[in-house]
Amino acid sequence: MKATKYFPNSTEMADFAQQFRQENTQNKWYIRTNLRCDHVINENRKAIVLVINELVVQRLITCKVCFNAQNQNHHAK
């Protein structure tokens, strides 16, 4: 399962997930787990999966390398 958003640390990732949950608490969940990082094969990182009505809507992961790459690509657009 590929991540959709990257964070430099687990605190920022958890804050993002909690804000997601607070927007509308009905049928919204966040689940702490581990996911593979895009740039390293077979290395799991701390992650959170955001769920609405049993449907995964976003996958968050902590990785400074991927976070920096994500931000460079975003600023280049």
Side-chain angles (χ1 to χ4, degrees):
M1 186 180 296
K2 188 173 179 173
T4 55
K5 187 163 181 69
Y6 302 92
F7 293 86
N9 58 59
S10 57
T11 303
E12 289 185 31
M13 181 176 63
D15 290 345
F16 185 89
Q18 289 170 356
Q19 181 64 36
F20 164 83
R21 173 82 168 101
Q22 289 174 356
E23 289 173 1
N24 178 1
T25 58
Q26 189 172 5
N27 297 321
K28 279 192 174 182
W29 303 90
Y30 64 92
I31 303 165
R32 294 179 188 269
T33 188
N34 292 305
L35 295 175
R36 287 187 181 169
C37 188
D38 288 344
H39 79 282
V40 180
I41 298 173
N42 296 329
E43 183 175 323
N44 290 335
R45 304 279 176 124
K46 289 182 181 179
I48 295 177
V49 178
L50 304 181
V51 179
I52 298 176
N53 293 327
E54 300 180 19
L55 176 67
V56 174
V57 293
Q58 204 165 17
R59 295 167 300 281
L60 317 177
I61 191 170
T62 58
C63 178
K64 289 181 182 178
V65 172
C66 293
F67 172 76
N68 291 334
Q70 172 185 267
N71 287 342
Q72 286 177 351
N73 290 338
H74 179 70
H75 293 300
K77 291 181 181 178

